[in-house]
């Protein structure tokens, strides 16, 4: 019997109408059944968060520290179990699922520390006898809307700073990954959060998410997901004059120069393009390679792709799990076909694979002879599909890398200090990697992009404070 998980509203577990969550490695395996909130429950959750805000925002740092630290400890202690469920519901490998769970624990630990580091400034006024204090205050009710591809890390990096800085939360996770979301909320609830401080509303984006966008009582929204939904969040937030932060898609370039260490470049491409089944906003979907290394690079990459073990996410040998669901699988296949129609060559993979259990298995695909004008090079595919774009030199590589509506991450593989330095300064991306995959970031430093990839203040690390607090300047004349 699959578990039935309820929503958390005002400190009570509620809801009955359930939706099922299917394991993409084995569609016969039901991970669980989950309550599906409607508009009324979303409104109740918002009201509960509003009512809980005055007390929580005035709670001392020690109370917040205690909850966040306890949650971090429990997530870490249960990393194998939670990581396994994550791999089961999302399809990333067991190692990746456990790794992501450890990351969530580290994020809660980091923000537990942040509660004890709150600071302000006292500065003299330009007017004699007047003092000025600059402090930060919580924003209010924060709506947190998350995608399916990092089921625990993304909720963690939004919920932890929101709580650390004294906000209350209405959390709406993606429909495909409710188990990880439920676990994190259950842990925080039992860690001692007062009722109403954190509310979970699993359900449809068009219903529950939309109710959050439409509410004047949601003071800020932190959203990660597709560009299309992000634009809706932006438009609705402007309507209500609320703070919002968007993390959206990517079409991240990995530049490989003639002077690159071939083994390093192939490692970066393999990891960046195909690990986590390519379902990362930071995936390297455009491999921009200069002439003299191009053929060696493509041959070596195909050789490594051929050795990848694609299979059930829970098998210890698996390196690439299934695609998350049937819709995403079709999207991946459609983009491969579009690339070929536009003139690229399918140099490797791209076909569905049969495994012991029915699932959404796709052999990672490499398109060569691609140009940057093709749709497959311009639009986010969000699967294990990468295009190789051949260029003559570094200057052309940089121009192609920057010629995209997105700007999340970028990377360069080179042994030239001159080119690495120039690329770091001139790449139009929020995060730049040298001799590293475009995916894979630290939790204590800012995360975010430019152009169509991101909007608003950065997430993670100390920079998260910018979004989850608002600045107050107070003047005092003491006579
Ligand atoms: P999505 O936009 O379909 O859904 C994201 C969330 O928005 C889900 O919880 C969904 O239910 C909700 N939603 C849908 N309609 C809504 C509405 N009308 N009102 C409010 N909420 C609504 O995205 P997805 O398919 O879950 O995630 C994949 C996308 O996320 C990709 O584009 C990927 O690049 C992006 N992503 C970005 C980052 C980043 O940090 N830049 C990280 C991970 C994923």
């Amino acid at each position: 019997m699959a578990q039935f998980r309820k929503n958390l509203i005002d400190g009570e577990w509620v809801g009955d109408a359930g939706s099922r969550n299917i394991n993409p490695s084995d569609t016969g395996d039901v991970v669980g059944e989950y309550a599906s909130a409607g508009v009324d429950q979303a409104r109740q959750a918002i009201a509960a968060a509003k009512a809980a805000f005055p007390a929580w925002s005035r709670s001392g740092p020690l109370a917040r520290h205690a909850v966040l630290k306890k949650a971090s400890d429990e997530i870490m202690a249960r990393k194998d179990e939670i990581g396994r469920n994550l791999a089961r519901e999302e399809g990333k490998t067991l190692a990746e699922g456990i790794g992501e769970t450890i990351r969530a624990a580290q994020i809660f630990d980091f923000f537990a520390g942040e509660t004890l580091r709150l600071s302000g400034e006292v500065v003299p006024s330009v007017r004699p006898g007047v003092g000025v204090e600059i402090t930060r205050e919580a924003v209010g009710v924060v709506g947190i809307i998350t995608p399916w591809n990092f089921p625990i890390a993304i909720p963690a990096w939004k919920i932890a700073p929101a709580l650390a800085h004294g906000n209350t939360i209405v959390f709406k996770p993606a429909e495909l990954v409710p188990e990880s979301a439920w676990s994190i909320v259950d842990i925080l609830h039992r860690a001692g959060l007062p009722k109403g401080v954190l509310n979970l509303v699993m359900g449809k984006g068009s219903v529950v998410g939309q109710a959050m966008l439409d509410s004047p009582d949601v003071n800020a929204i932190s959203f990660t997901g597709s560009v299309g939904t992000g634009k809706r969040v932006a438009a609705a937030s402007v309507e209500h004059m609320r703070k919002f932060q968007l993390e959206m898609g990517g079409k991240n370039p990995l530049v490989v120069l003639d002077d690159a260490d071939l083994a390093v470049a192939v490692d970066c491409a393999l990891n960046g393009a195909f690990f986590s089944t390519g379902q990362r906003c930071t995936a390297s979907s455009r491999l921009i390679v200069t002439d003299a290394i191009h053929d060696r690079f493509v041959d070596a990459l195909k050789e490594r792709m051929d050795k990848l073990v694609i299979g059930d996410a829970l098998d210890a040998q698996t390196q690439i799990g299934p695609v998350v669901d049937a819709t995403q699988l079709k999207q991946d296949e459609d983009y491969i076909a579009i690339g070929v129609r536009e003139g690229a060559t399918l140099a490797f993979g791209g076909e569905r694979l049969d495994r012991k259990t029915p699932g959404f298995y796709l052999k990672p695909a490499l398109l060569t002879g691609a140009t940057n004008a093709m749709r497959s090079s311009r639009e986010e595919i969000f699967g294990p599909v990468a295009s190789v774009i051949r260029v003559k030199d570094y200057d052309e590589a940089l121009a192609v890398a920057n010629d995209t509506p997105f700007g999340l991450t970028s990377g360069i593989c080179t042994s030239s200090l001159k080119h690495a330095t120039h690329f770091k300064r001139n790449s139009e991306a929020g995060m730049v990697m040298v001799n590293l995959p475009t995916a894979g970031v630290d939790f204590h430093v800012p995360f975010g992009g430019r152009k169509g990839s991101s909007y608003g203040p950065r997430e993670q690390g100390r920079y998260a404070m910018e979004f989850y607090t608002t600045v107050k300047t107070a003047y005092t004349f003491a006579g």
Side-chain angles (χ1 to χ4, degrees):
M1 238 320 248
Q3 304 251 34
F4 175 48
R5 310 289 204 193
K6 296 184 176 184
N7 280 315
L8 183 69
I9 298 177
D10 205 15
E12 302 289 332
W13 294 106
V14 296
D16 33 42
S19 67
R20 292 178 137 202
N21 182 10
I22 303 298
N23 176 352
S25 298
D26 175 2
T27 54
D29 176 29
V30 179
V31 182
E33 286 201 36
Y34 301 84
S36 192
V39 172
D40 285 349
Q41 284 184 326
R43 289 186 183 144
Q44 286 161 17
I46 295 165
K50 189 177 177 182
F53 178 70
W56 180 248
S57 61
R58 284 196 295 268
S59 63
L62 292 178
R64 297 181 211 162
H65 177 268
V67 170
L68 295 176
K69 184 77 183 82
K70 212 165 160 191
S72 166
D73 291 347
E74 180 171 342
I75 294 168
M76 194 61 102
R78 291 174 52 203
K79 66 182 185 339
D80 293 339
E81 169 215 338
I82 296 171
R84 187 182 161 81
N85 277 335
L86 194 165
R88 205 172 142 216
E89 72 175 350
E90 200 270 352
K92 61 180 68 176
T93 65
L94 191 54
E96 288 169 333
I98 294 171
E100 189 185 327
T101 307
I102 292 171
R103 172 57 57 98
Q106 291 166 332
I107 289 166
F108 276 101
D109 195 30
F110 178 88
F111 284 103
E114 284 296 276
T115 62
L116 306 178
R117 276 191 288 270
L118 295 177
S119 58
E121 286 178 72
V122 177
V123 294
S125 165
V126 292
R127 289 168 283 170
V130 174
V132 185
E133 293 153 34
I134 304 163
T135 52
R136 286 183 178 270
E137 296 180 358
V139 178
V141 175
V142 177
I144 290 179
I145 303 178
T146 55
W148 50 263
N149 65 327
F150 283 95
I152 197 162
I154 293 179
W157 81 51
K158 294 179 189 297
I159 292 172
L163 292 176
H165 294 295
N167 301 280
T168 57
I169 298 170
V170 178
F171 169 36
K172 189 243 155 305
E175 293 91 314
L176 289 172
V177 290
E179 180 62 28
S180 302
W182 185 89
S183 299
I184 207 172
V185 171
D186 172 54
I187 288 169
L188 282 159
H189 178 56
R190 285 186 293 97
L193 276 183
K195 72 179 183 122
V197 171
L198 173 62
N199 302 274
L200 173 68
V201 281
M202 298 177 286
K204 286 205 167 82
S206 55
V207 178
V208 177
Q210 193 62 44
M212 291 162 69
L213 304 193
D214 292 341
S215 171
D217 291 330
V218 174
N219 306 107
I221 292 190
S222 180
F223 168 84
T224 300
S226 62
V227 175
T229 314
K231 285 183 177 167
R232 296 178 79 110
V233 173
S237 296
V238 169
E239 183 67 26
H240 291 288
M241 299 296 263
R242 74 160 72 91
K243 212 170 175 180
F244 64 99
Q245 170 184 60
L246 312 174
E247 289 297 345
M248 301 170 289
K251 197 70 198 172
N252 311 293
L254 177 71
V255 169
V256 178
L257 296 186
D258 291 347
D259 62 18
D261 178 321
L262 185 64
V264 169
V266 171
D267 269 346
C268 289
L270 195 79
N271 175 323
F274 306 120
F275 284 16
S276 300
T277 324
Q279 296 173 153
R280 293 186 285 193
C281 50
T282 49
S284 327
S285 51
R286 294 183 299 143
L287 307 173
I288 301 166
V289 188
T290 48
D291 262 334
I293 198 172
H294 177 277
D295 294 354
R296 280 182 295 138
F297 171 81
V298 169
D299 287 347
L301 182 58
K302 278 164 50 183
E303 212 172 288
R304 291 284 301 280
M305 289 174 75
D306 201 31
K307 296 199 180 96
L308 286 173
V309 181
I310 299 131
D312 190 317
L314 300 182
D315 281 353
Q317 288 76 28
T318 296
Q319 291 171 290
I320 309 283
V323 172
V324 73
D325 69 357
T327 310
Q328 183 62 49
L329 179 60
K330 177 158 187 323
Q331 177 167 312
D332 298 346
E333 290 179 320
D334 286 351
Y335 270 111
I336 295 168
I338 288 168
V340 170
R341 254 201 325 275
E342 288 178 324
T345 302
L346 181 57
F348 188 89
E351 65 266 20
R352 288 191 191 203
L353 298 172
D354 285 329
R355 291 294 178 259
K356 275 190 295 233
T357 49
F360 308 112
Y361 298 105
L362 181 68
K363 197 167 192 177
L366 191 68
L367 293 166
T368 54
T371 71
N372 203 44
M374 293 174 174
R375 272 184 67 199
S376 47
S377 300
R378 302 204 74 76
E379 297 169 17
E380 185 182 49
I381 301 173
F382 218 53
V385 183
S387 298
V388 181
I389 301 169
R390 189 177 193 137
V391 291
K392 63 176 187 306
D393 56 16
Y394 169 73
D395 290 339
E396 188 184 354
L398 176 66
V400 169
N402 285 340
D403 177 12
T404 169
F406 296 105
L408 190 56
T409 59
S410 68
I412 187 166
C413 292
T414 179
S415 53
S416 153
L417 180 63
K418 182 177 147 203
H419 286 140
T421 306
H422 190 271
F423 189 77
K424 278 191 281 184
R425 289 186 188 145
N426 292 284
S427 170
E428 294 167 7
M431 296 170 285
V432 185
M433 316 290 178
V434 177
N435 295 323
L436 286 167
T438 56
V441 296
D442 288 359
F443 59 86
H444 66 304
V445 287
F447 178 96
R450 298 181 184 179
K451 303 200 273 190
S453 289
S454 301
Y455 186 92
R458 289 286 187 263
E459 301 203 78
Q460 303 199 48
R462 297 224 73 194
Y463 281 68
M465 185 195 296
E466 209 48 53
F467 182 73
Y468 292 102
T469 62
T470 181
V471 172
K472 179 173 280 175
T473 312
Y475 296 84
T476 307
F477 176 60

